[in-house]
Amino acid sequence: MKLYTDRGNFNSLKVIAALEFTALPYSVTECGLEDRVVPYLSAPKLPVLEVSPQRFLFSPNSATRYILNKKSEEDDPNIDKWLEWESVQLQPYVVRYLVSVIVQKKPDLESLSRIQNLLKFLNAELKSKSLTKIKDCAADFVLWGSLFPLFRGTAELKGWESQYSNIKSWFNGVDSLPCCQTAQSKVIPQSDTTCLKASLNAQPLPLLETETRSEEPAQKPKTQKNKMEKPSELPPAEESLLAKEATPEEIQAAKESWRAGLSKCPKPRQRKHPILPKSGERNLLITSALPYVNNVPHLGNIIGCVLSADVFSRYCQLRNYNCLYVSGTDEYGTATETKAIEEGLTPQEICDKYNKIHTEIYQWFNISFDKFSRTSIPAHTKIAQDIFVKLEKNGYISKDGLEQLQCQQCLRFLADRFVEGTCPLCGFDDARGDQCDGCGKLLNAVDLLNPKCKVCNGIPQIKSSNHLFLDLPKVENKLKSHLDAQFKKGIWTNNAKVITNAWIRDGLKPRCISRDLKWGIPIPLEGYQDKVFYVWYDAPIGYISATASYTDQWEQWWKNPKQVELFNFLGKDNVPFHSVIFPSTLLGADDNFTVVNHMSATEYLNYEDTKFSKSRGTGVFGHQARETGIPADIFRFYLLYVRPESQDSSFSWDDLQLKNNSELLNNLGNFINRALMFVSNSFGGEIQQMKLTEEDFHLLALVNRELITYIENMEQIKLRDSIRNILSISRLGNQYMQANQPWVLVKGSEQDRQRAGTVVSLCANIATLLSVLVQPYMPAVSATIQHQLKTPPDCNVIHKELVCRLPPGHKIGKPSPLFEKIETSKIQEMKKKFEGKPAPQKATANASSGNPQEVQKLTDEVAAQGNIVRELKAQKAEKAVINEEVAKLLALKKRLTAMTGEPVPAGGKQNSKQAKQENKTPVKVNNGKEDSQEVERLTEAVNKQGTLVRDLKSQKAEKSRIDSEVAVLLDLKRQLAVAQGQDPEALTGGKGKKGKKK
């Protein structure tokens, strides 16, 4: 089943709780408030449950009832009575009250009084502590979902727990259910009901009863159970946005701003480079994660950092904040050396090539860096080394040895990606030094069997190498103190906080910052001159060196924490390096550095129903976007419309077509074009005298409401939400023109013609406002609108209220359409072009599968290797020697299984009973002392990890967290199996773990 809902729609609480309670598989799709999910409804409606393709339930109560009946038939007639009572009597007043408190900031006392009477009745009915004879039924979830915003958060009814003791007991019981906790975390995180504002503000108010009725539930339900809603059972049409009420205060403010607001409006700041912090002003230093230079960025990479930061930077400029936006390419490290070998170039040539590619892509996307730099410049080396010297001097650098593989022919230690060999876990013979593509496990290069140098195919040897570590435990208290303060007053996405806290929760560990490579920044310390800095030590310092390459006064930005706010934009995979490693580096250097204050981390953007893949040609990469013929601003708009702010989202060609044709062409473009065309054709392109009526000021009040919310959203870096505000303003304009019909008025009396001039001239001023608000999102479209309007330069500043920018007598330019329709044929062409090829099948261990001679030969090898292992165990050989031979045996068995398609007995040619008995016998080394301790240690670790996994599942924790802990558990079990002399593959049989499917 699929649930379609807008963000912060509290009616989704009951539906998600029911889905979680029944454990039915489902997905949630976040929609725009204007999205028409159900094709046959006359107006958009959310939430909607799609129970099967094109079969919808658009009543949340019916959806909840339907879901729970899937688990077991709820035959208590009182359930339907309570559902009707909730929808007919309680829900309308709850919604009105929530709108008055959360949206309008002024409680509706009439609705409050009605709610109190309804709660008194409910409290009396709950003397039996339950609504019906069925525990945890649809009535419980429906009423819990409607009452939750009244009992938690901004709109909480004061003293409700003491007034309604029976409700308190019942509500807390339902609220504590894991399914309700999950629903609440998805819809209203941290019980912060302010997140309901946008949804409440946009959804039509439910109709009130038209006749006096008893407080009691109806005796006969009006709807049958399990019956699908039909197209004829339509809800009332959505109210016009113009029908929303504006308070007297809002209308008065609109009048004042229209009449005299221009004089109070600040002039746009003239940006003169170099931009430096200014005392007494808000100084914002904005960074986007440095893209790695060894590949071409795809659309997910672009929205994850550079585009999001660009939108925020442009907004800050329009607010007259003193801001600087820097980024650059991350160019050092193993990946660059590997790419250089692949392409037959030097690392410097690779960096030059891909820096140029990145630069051209970002220029096409209109990313407005103040400086786009690179980490291979001299200034970067100087600053990175200087910070290291301070860290070492202050005692935050420790030294230790690491075992690494050293190639005797290349005469160097090999980084993980320069090593290939056989996986010690699954026997896959083409594993990398950091990960096996056969089983997907993370590896250490020294654990590979039959390792070889990727450069020369030589056989490396294990050697010890001395390395340097950033002593994170020593700086941990400083870091925690800084982060605690920033979490309270800064703007941090939830994932950034969660990931950061997860790193700190169990205590930080020293982290290696040196590597045995050639391509990197040399370490300025005696005895380590042949090493370079680990790329994740120096990469974030690229923000500092980018600023230094922009101005020699860079320290005014980076050593000025009292006057500068630092904003980081990045993907969630980069959070630990920006919230833990880099801040610890700067705090340890103790040189008054500016340390992160705000962090906006996106989730992942997928491509259609899969992932972006350069190797398979799946998805749109930066250089390919231009080739589609679709303007950069359309890509910008859509990527920001689906920006993965709180959960993963997807780029969809069908959805891009829909948003372009409906929101841009038919809404925003239609409003601006029709208003300007009317001024041009009927009034010679001249703005007319405007005699505004109360109706007009009501419109301005509603526009100002959206404008204020736009600013609030942008200040909190909720870039998706601000797009909705822009589209709501243009929708208001369209409805205003439709209601006044200037094309009719202009043909009437002189008074009618004056009214037509007022209407379209007011709309032209709203179009001017829109040209400014869309500028961060679609800068080229903004410039086109302003060219057509011939707007004065001073208009490019965002003020909290709409003012008259185009006075009577102002001449506009020549209007023309802003957007083009995207045809379905174009979309089909793009889908086919970027669908890519299927993922390659994993290579089998031997291509001669099924050859009897090869099977027999490999069977003999398994038997011989089995004998070697048994003899070593009997002789109580060194544990490392036994483990190496056991790994060889497992690799041979893996190959034999791939050939025959049948599992190999654990003991080779032994009978299975003997093999099982042997597998139960722990390997003993040094009279059994060391191995028995290891087995005991691992057994305890497995039990502890198993308890953790079970607790997480019972608490219905995030799936990614559960999967991560399950992976740890499986790895511990494998280690225990090896310590006991067993085949670790026998634990799972190569099959997936059992569990509920979600």
Side-chain angles (χ1 to χ4, degrees):
M1 285 186 272
K2 295 182 180 179
L3 178 65
Y4 297 87
T5 184
D6 56 302
R7 181 181 302 180
N9 190 324
F10 79 101
N11 278 312
S12 300
L13 284 169
K14 59 190 77 169
V15 184
I16 294 176
L19 288 164
E20 289 287 334
F21 182 77
T22 57
L24 293 171
Y26 75 99
S27 63
V28 178
T29 299
E30 186 176 305
C31 304
L33 298 165
E34 63 291 332
D35 289 354
R36 197 181 297 275
V37 177
V38 185
Y40 48 77
L41 289 184
S42 61
K45 180 151 179 76
L46 295 171
V48 169
L49 183 70
E50 188 175 17
V51 296
S52 61
Q54 295 302 303
R55 296 184 68 220
F56 301 98
L57 284 171
F58 43 85
S59 161
N61 290 5
S62 297
T64 305
R65 190 83 160 98
Y66 176 89
I67 293 163
L68 292 168
N69 274 322
K70 280 285 187 180
K71 182 176 182 181
S72 60
E73 187 75 5
E74 295 185 344
D75 56 0
D76 188 338
N78 287 316
I79 294 176
D80 287 317
K81 296 176 186 177
W82 281 113
L83 296 187
E84 184 178 11
W85 181 81
E86 184 276 346
S87 65
V88 175
Q89 299 194 48
L90 180 64
Q91 175 83 192
Y93 292 100
V94 168
V95 172
R96 277 169 165 73
Y97 183 73
L98 294 178
V99 169
S100 71
V101 174
I102 297 175
V103 178
Q104 300 170 349
K105 311 294 185 183
K106 186 177 181 180
D108 178 0
L109 299 181
E110 182 179 350
S111 294
L112 176 60
S113 175
R114 181 68 171 175
I115 289 171
Q116 289 171 334
N117 289 333
L118 293 167
L119 291 178
K120 287 179 184 177
F121 169 75
L122 178 61
N123 193 62
E125 290 295 303
L126 278 169
K127 289 179 180 178
S128 61
K129 307 301 180 185
S130 62
L131 292 169
T132 69
K133 65 181 181 181
I134 300 176
K135 181 176 173 57
D136 301 329
C137 65
D140 292 301
F141 291 124
V142 164
L143 284 175
W144 166 80
S146 288
L147 293 174
F148 186 93
L150 297 179
F151 294 167
R152 300 283 190 271
T154 304
E156 180 179 352
L157 303 179
K158 303 303 180 185
W160 71 271
E161 292 179 302
S162 58
Q163 293 182 56
Y164 314 114
S165 57
N166 293 338
I167 293 179
K168 173 187 174 182
S169 176
W170 161 82
F171 179 86
N172 288 341
V174 179
D175 189 56
S176 64
L177 293 174
C179 60
C180 292
Q181 290 291 303
T182 299
Q184 181 250 312
S185 68
K186 290 178 179 289
V187 182
I188 312 177
Q190 287 86 46
S191 300
D192 181 9
T193 52
T194 57
C195 72
L196 307 179
K197 182 176 179 180
S199 181
L200 288 169
N201 195 35
Q203 298 281 5
L205 294 175
L207 295 178
L208 297 174
E209 296 173 270
T210 55
E211 58 184 11
T212 304
R213 298 185 57 166
S214 166
E215 301 292 332
E216 299 181 358
Q219 295 302 308
K220 293 183 180 181
K222 292 187 175 182
T223 57
Q224 298 178 5
K225 295 183 295 180
N226 293 334
K227 187 174 182 180
M228 294 296 298
E229 293 167 299
K230 300 176 181 178
S232 59
E233 299 172 353
L234 298 178
E238 180 180 9
E239 293 179 320
S240 165
L241 293 180
L242 286 173
K244 290 186 176 182
E245 295 182 4
T247 66
E249 291 80 8
E250 288 177 315
I251 292 175
Q252 182 59 35
K255 290 180 179 179
E256 292 175 3
S257 64
W258 180 259
R259 292 165 180 163
L262 191 59
S263 61
K264 300 177 182 178
C265 211
K267 304 294 184 184
R269 174 191 293 272
Q270 298 300 314
R271 303 185 86 232
K272 295 181 180 179
H273 297 282
I275 297 165
L276 299 173
K278 296 185 178 180
S279 180
E281 295 191 18
R282 191 176 182 194
N283 302 296
L284 283 65
L285 178 55
I286 302 167
T287 72
S288 60
L290 278 66
Y292 207 77
V293 81
N294 72 326
N295 217 328
V296 179
H298 56 65
L299 297 182
N301 302 139
I302 290 169
I303 186 59
C305 51
V306 296
L307 178 54
S308 295
D310 179 63
V311 173
F312 186 67
S313 172
R314 288 176 180 272
Y315 163 77
C316 291
Q317 293 174 39
L318 290 168
R319 290 287 285 165
N320 275 350
Y321 301 151
N322 191 41
C323 62
L324 183 73
Y325 176 25
V326 299
S327 188
T329 45
D330 178 9
E331 302 190 354
Y332 286 127
T334 313
T336 301
E337 286 196 30
T338 305
K339 192 70 173 179
I341 292 170
E342 289 177 4
E343 298 194 14
L345 300 172
T346 66
Q348 185 63 61
E349 288 171 337
I350 281 290
C351 293
D352 294 342
K353 171 184 175 179
Y354 281 96
N355 176 271
K356 184 174 183 291
I357 290 173
H358 277 262
T359 301
E360 290 173 348
I361 288 171
Y362 301 143
Q363 286 176 347
W364 186 78
F365 273 96
N366 285 316
I367 308 296
S368 57
F369 303 106
D370 288 305
K371 180 64 180 181
F372 187 72
S373 184
R374 50 196 306 188
T375 59
S376 60
I377 60 175
H380 182 70
T381 297
K382 180 181 178 182
I383 294 171
Q385 290 179 336
D386 180 66
I387 290 174
F388 169 78
V389 169
K390 290 183 171 65
L391 286 167
E392 203 271 335
K393 178 183 177 182
N394 295 337
Y396 291 107
I397 298 297
S398 59
K399 303 173 183 178
D400 203 353
L402 288 179
E403 286 192 337
Q404 290 181 273
L405 291 174
Q406 186 183 58
C407 180
Q408 304 304 302
Q409 297 183 49
C410 296
L411 297 178
R412 69 174 179 178
F413 285 97
L414 300 178
D416 294 343
R417 297 194 185 195
F418 283 112
V419 186
E420 294 177 340
T422 302
C423 175
L425 301 175
C426 72
F428 184 69
D429 59 7
D430 193 24
R432 301 194 311 271
D434 58 348
Q435 187 173 15
C436 173
D437 288 334
C439 63
K441 296 293 184 183
L442 297 178
L443 303 173
N444 291 317
V446 294
D447 296 329
L448 285 176
L449 304 177
N450 306 317
K452 61 182 179 181
C453 173
K454 188 174 180 180
V455 178
C456 69
N457 285 327
I459 300 175
Q461 296 181 5
I462 297 178
K463 299 284 186 180
S464 180
S465 177
N466 293 325
H467 281 278
L468 299 171
F469 292 77
L470 178 61
D471 203 338
L472 291 175
K474 282 188 177 180
V475 77
E476 184 172 345
N477 288 336
K478 282 186 177 181
L479 176 68
K480 289 172 68 175
S481 177
H482 174 78
L483 291 176
D484 287 345
Q486 302 313 313
F487 282 175
K488 289 179 182 178
K489 64 182 181 181
I491 302 164
W492 289 67
T493 51
N494 185 61
N495 57 359
K497 288 183 179 180
V498 169
I499 293 170
T500 303
N501 287 330
W503 268 61
I504 296 176
R505 182 182 57 232
D506 300 323
L508 298 177
K509 308 293 188 296
R511 188 168 184 89
C512 186
I513 62 169
S514 58
R515 285 293 186 271
D516 289 295
L517 292 172
K518 301 297 183 185
W519 183 244
I521 298 176
I523 295 177
L525 186 66
E526 186 175 351
Y528 294 87
Q529 293 93 334
D530 60 337
K531 302 181 190 297
V532 300
F533 286 121
Y534 174 40
V535 67
W536 264 116
Y537 162 77
D538 85 87
I541 296 174
Y543 304 133
I544 303 177
S545 63
T547 313
S549 67
Y550 167 73
T551 173
D552 58 4
Q553 302 177 69
W554 62 271
E555 290 186 353
Q556 290 193 36
W557 282 107
W558 281 101
K559 294 186 179 181
N560 192 4
K562 292 185 178 180
Q563 288 191 335
V564 174
E565 297 177 61
L566 175 56
F567 287 77
N568 288 161
F569 285 81
L570 59 155
K572 66 178 179 182
D573 52 331
N574 288 336
V575 166
F577 303 102
H578 288 76
S579 65
V580 177
I581 308 298
F582 186 40
S584 296
T585 300
L586 298 180
L587 291 169
D590 194 23
D591 198 19
N592 197 39
F593 275 108
T594 303
V595 185
V596 62
N597 307 106
H598 314 274
M599 186 172 293
S600 178
T602 59
E603 300 290 325
Y604 295 132
L605 180 75
N606 296 316
Y607 178 75
E608 298 287 354
D609 56 355
T610 185
K611 294 182 179 180
F612 288 87
S613 172
K614 185 76 187 318
S615 61
R616 297 198 298 273
T618 304
V620 184
F621 285 71
H623 64 299
Q624 298 168 322
R626 187 201 301 259
E627 300 169 7
T628 64
I630 296 173
D633 270 14
I634 305 303
F635 277 109
R636 285 178 62 109
F637 167 82
Y638 182 68
L639 289 173
L640 290 155
Y641 196 100
V642 297
R643 183 175 184 255
E645 294 186 353
S646 58
Q647 61 184 17
D648 292 355
S649 61
S650 293
F651 177 94
S652 163
W653 282 109
D654 288 332
D655 192 42
L656 180 143
Q657 178 192 25
L658 176 65
K659 296 301 184 293
N660 178 84
N661 294 351
S662 60
E663 294 296 4
L664 294 182
L665 183 63
N666 293 337
N667 179 9
L668 179 64
N670 180 60
F671 166 65
I672 294 175
N673 186 248
R674 71 197 294 203
L676 270 59
M677 287 295 291
F678 208 97
V679 172
S680 179
N681 294 338
S682 298
F683 296 100
E686 185 174 313
I687 300 298
Q688 301 296 294
Q689 287 289 339
M690 290 169 276
K691 297 181 180 179
L692 270 56
T693 65
E694 286 302 312
E695 174 193 356
D696 301 330
F697 287 120
H698 178 263
L699 166 69
L700 295 184
L702 296 180
V703 169
N704 285 341
R705 182 187 292 174
E706 294 292 340
L707 174 57
I708 292 169
T709 308
Y710 170 97
I711 294 172
E712 290 174 353
N713 288 330
M714 292 296 268
E715 293 289 336
Q716 295 298 314
I717 318 182
K718 296 179 179 179
L719 308 183
R720 287 181 60 167
D721 291 345
S722 285
I723 286 185
R724 274 61 169 183
N725 299 127
I726 293 171
L727 298 174
S728 292
I729 291 174
S730 61
R731 192 168 287 110
L732 279 166
N734 273 315
Q735 293 175 358
Y736 172 74
M737 285 195 70
Q738 199 65 32
N740 283 276
Q741 297 185 324
W743 52 90
V744 175
L745 292 172
V746 77
K747 298 175 182 178
S749 64
E750 184 59 29
Q751 186 177 358
D752 287 342
R753 182 175 173 80
Q754 289 178 357
R755 177 59 186 162
T758 294
V759 169
V760 297
S761 297
L762 180 57
C763 286
N765 272 279
I766 295 175
T768 301
L769 171 66
L770 287 170
S771 76
V772 180
L773 299 185
V774 303
Q775 197 171 122
Y777 297 92
M778 297 182 287
V781 169
S782 171
T784 300
I785 298 171
Q786 295 193 359
H787 177 73
Q788 293 181 15
L789 284 165
K790 290 188 177 179
T791 55
D794 287 353
C795 78
N796 284 307
V797 63
I798 294 178
H799 189 51
K800 63 181 180 179
E801 294 165 329
L802 172 64
V803 298
C804 181
R805 293 286 185 185
L806 306 182
H810 175 85
K811 280 277 193 176
I812 70 169
K814 182 179 180 181
S816 60
L818 297 172
F819 305 102
E820 293 183 1
K821 182 179 181 180
I822 298 179
E823 301 293 345
T824 300
S825 58
K826 175 77 170 180
I827 293 300
Q828 296 304 319
E829 176 190 344
M830 294 299 102
K831 283 183 177 181
K832 186 175 182 180
K833 180 176 181 179
F834 297 108
E835 67 182 354
K837 55 188 177 182
Q841 297 296 315
K842 291 179 181 177
T844 57
N846 195 307
S848 56
S849 177
N851 186 315
Q853 292 179 342
E854 290 292 336
V855 170
Q856 184 59 51
K857 178 183 176 182
L858 200 50
T859 301
D860 293 341
E861 290 181 16
V862 169
Q865 187 64 24
N867 288 332
I868 293 173
V869 170
R870 283 189 293 277
E871 288 175 7
L872 288 171
K873 291 178 181 178
Q875 296 167 8
K876 297 182 179 178
E878 289 289 332
K879 180 181 177 183
V881 175
I882 294 176
N883 288 348
E884 183 176 351
E885 297 302 328
V886 167
K888 291 179 182 179
L889 176 60
L890 297 179
L892 288 169
K893 287 181 177 181
K894 188 81 173 180
R895 292 173 59 193
L896 183 56
T897 298
M899 278 190 185
T900 63
E902 298 177 0
V904 182
K909 284 191 171 182
Q910 303 176 85
N911 63 63
S912 59
K913 183 177 180 181
Q914 180 184 352
K916 290 177 181 177
Q917 184 61 38
E918 180 184 3
N919 283 340
K920 292 179 181 178
T921 305
V923 183
K924 295 184 179 180
V925 181
N926 296 336
N927 297 322
K929 183 177 180 181
E930 288 186 13
D931 251 21
S932 62
Q933 290 179 348
E934 181 68 357
V935 169
E936 184 178 347
R937 183 188 71 80
L938 287 169
T939 300
E940 182 179 352
V942 167
N943 291 336
K944 182 179 179 181
Q945 187 68 17
T947 300
L948 174 60
V949 169
R950 286 190 294 274
D951 289 343
L952 288 173
K953 289 182 176 178
S954 66
Q955 296 164 8
K956 296 191 180 294
E958 296 249 352
K959 186 175 184 298
S960 59
R961 173 81 193 283
I962 294 175
D963 289 347
S964 175
E965 299 300 342
V966 167
V968 173
L969 176 60
L970 292 177
D971 190 54
L972 285 170
K973 287 183 175 181
R974 285 177 179 273
Q975 293 181 47
L976 178 59
V978 172
Q980 293 174 328
Q982 298 177 2
D983 179 356
E985 289 301 314
L987 295 173
T988 61
K991 297 178 181 178
K993 64 183 183 291
K994 293 181 180 179
K996 290 184 178 180
K997 187 177 181 182
K998 184 172 178 181

